Amino acid sequence: MLIVPEREISNLMTREAASSAVERVFAAMASKDAYNFPVIREAIGHEEALYGFKGGFDKAGMALGLKAGGFWPNNLEKHGHINHQSTVFLFDPDTGMVKAMVGGNLLTALRTAAASSVSIKHLARQDAKVMGMVGAGHQATFQLRAALEQRPFEKVIGWNYHPEMLPNIEQVAEEAGVPFEAVDLDGMVEADVIISITSTFAPTIMADHITPGTHIACMGTDTKGKQEVEAALLAKSTIFTDEVAQSISIGEAQHAVSSGLLAESDVHQIGAVINGTHEGRTSDDEITLFDGTGVGLQDLAVAASVVDLAVKKGVAIEVDF
């Protein structure tokens, strides 16, 4: 068995490699060459922690396994560790034997940013100039770095529930040589692309915050009850997602579907656009929305990629198991 420790991930996995891996697995999902297993997510009754498993099998990429981990809200304060903790386990599809154990913390951040980046690549207008960020936490910095590589953005605008956190994304914009401006939510009408990365249970982005032609990537809703955007906005948009079943049950589409504003058939896989079996954006006035719920196959794709890189660079640890 190979072990790739968390400490090695930052020297192995690039944003470009993560995006390529996620793009490939989205395409495999849409062509039914890969599928996710049911998600397990439980409150364990200790340290207010949520723990669970996401897994699947990618026949195209021959990646089989799962990510185990969750959210320990007291970690940083009590132990000095980040609150999100995860590990990816890969198995040999031919034998079922364990193949690799990979640190999953940074990989989770990179694969989540890669998903929104892939959606921008395939759905945003080519002439998009203003990048909008709703949310300014740790994950938002990964999101913005990846997004800025997809179009020649000329400006970044940002809003956050806690304005004192906006320097997090302002610094990323400055590093990329793009000016930053803090705005009210009403100011998001200027944005051509918006990434929302919050953990709210009440809508933040309303339909009148969005102008025709905008692409929105909703990346924070992954649990029943969460909601980042007004359901009426989804009804005005063409909806794409990583996995339809998750989108309508625990993702951003759950509220529009339950209220009758959308049908399941109105939600499309982003992989179909990648494969060319869905036309994607059809006009410069169309509002497109990507509902990134997060699937286990994303984790397996980036983990398999990082194992290959670790072997090539000689940093993978081999143990008998």
Side-chain angles (χ1 to χ4, degrees):
M1 179 179 77
L2 298 173
I3 298 175
V4 184
E6 183 70 38
R7 66 176 181 269
E8 300 290 351
I9 304 298
S10 62
N11 296 321
L12 294 169
M13 179 55 61
T14 64
R15 288 189 297 276
E16 182 181 5
S19 292
S20 295
V22 168
E23 187 174 43
R24 286 195 301 271
V25 83
F26 282 168
M29 288 169 61
S31 61
K32 301 189 184 305
D33 290 323
Y35 66 99
N36 294 285
F37 304 152
V39 175
I40 296 173
R41 185 178 173 90
E42 298 288 339
I44 67 172
H46 179 70
E47 288 290 344
E48 302 174 79
L50 290 173
Y51 180 70
F53 306 92
K54 287 184 173 183
F57 177 44
D58 175 8
K59 189 174 183 180
M62 291 303 284
L64 171 68
L66 59 89
K67 180 175 77 171
F71 183 71
W72 270 255
N74 305 315
N75 260 9
L76 191 60
E77 182 180 349
K78 285 188 174 182
H79 308 292
H81 304 309
I82 65 171
N83 293 341
H84 286 92
Q85 291 290 326
S86 61
T87 305
V88 181
F89 298 88
L90 298 173
F91 298 84
D92 186 335
D94 295 326
T95 65
M97 295 179 66
V98 65
K99 183 177 179 181
M101 181 173 73
V102 185
N105 295 342
L106 179 57
L107 283 183
T108 298
L110 289 170
R111 68 84 151 150
T112 306
S116 62
S117 175
V118 167
S119 83
I120 293 169
K121 175 181 176 180
H122 290 279
L123 296 171
R125 297 193 332 267
Q126 292 298 320
D127 65 348
K129 295 292 189 291
V130 179
M131 179 72 220
M133 291 294 302
V134 176
H138 180 68
Q139 179 63 45
T141 61
F142 289 91
Q143 295 284 331
L144 184 54
R145 286 190 185 96
L148 290 175
E149 295 172 350
Q150 293 301 332
R151 294 290 187 274
F153 290 106
E154 297 175 355
K155 183 180 181 181
V156 176
I157 60 176
W159 180 91
N160 192 56
Y161 281 102
H162 303 285
E164 67 274 13
M165 296 176 68
L166 287 171
N168 291 339
I169 55 176
E170 181 177 12
Q171 181 178 352
V172 173
E174 289 178 350
E175 289 171 357
V178 182
F180 174 85
E181 179 185 351
V183 298
D184 294 330
L185 280 171
D186 290 345
M188 283 293 153
V189 296
E190 184 185 359
D192 301 307
V193 174
I194 297 173
I195 293 176
S196 182
I197 181 71
T198 66
S199 57
T200 179
F201 283 77
T204 301
I205 301 174
M206 312 304 281
D208 59 5
H209 294 152
I210 304 300
T211 51
T214 304
H215 173 64
I216 310 147
C218 299
M219 304 305 297
T221 299
D222 58 0
T223 303
K224 195 166 184 62
K226 279 188 175 183
Q227 185 177 11
E228 294 197 279
V229 306
E230 184 181 20
L233 175 57
L234 275 78
K236 295 172 56 177
S237 308
T238 306
I239 313 300
F240 300 88
T241 190
D242 39 25
E243 184 169 84
V244 174
Q246 284 194 182
S247 176
I248 65 174
S249 60
I250 62 170
E252 199 59 46
Q254 64 180 286
H255 305 284
V257 169
S258 64
S259 62
L261 292 174
L262 284 183
E264 180 177 346
S265 59
D266 294 321
V267 184
H268 313 283
Q269 285 185 291
I270 184 73
V273 182
I274 297 167
N275 287 338
T277 56
H278 190 291
E279 57 190 338
R281 173 178 290 277
T282 58
S283 77
D284 285 345
D285 291 331
E286 184 178 11
I287 297 173
T288 55
L289 186 145
F290 174 67
D291 183 10
T293 64
V295 294
L297 285 171
Q298 290 173 255
D299 300 295
L300 303 187
V302 293
S305 179
V306 86
V307 168
D308 289 342
L309 290 168
V311 170
K312 289 178 182 176
K313 294 192 174 184
V315 297
I317 302 168
E318 188 170 1
V319 298
D320 291 329
F321 183 79

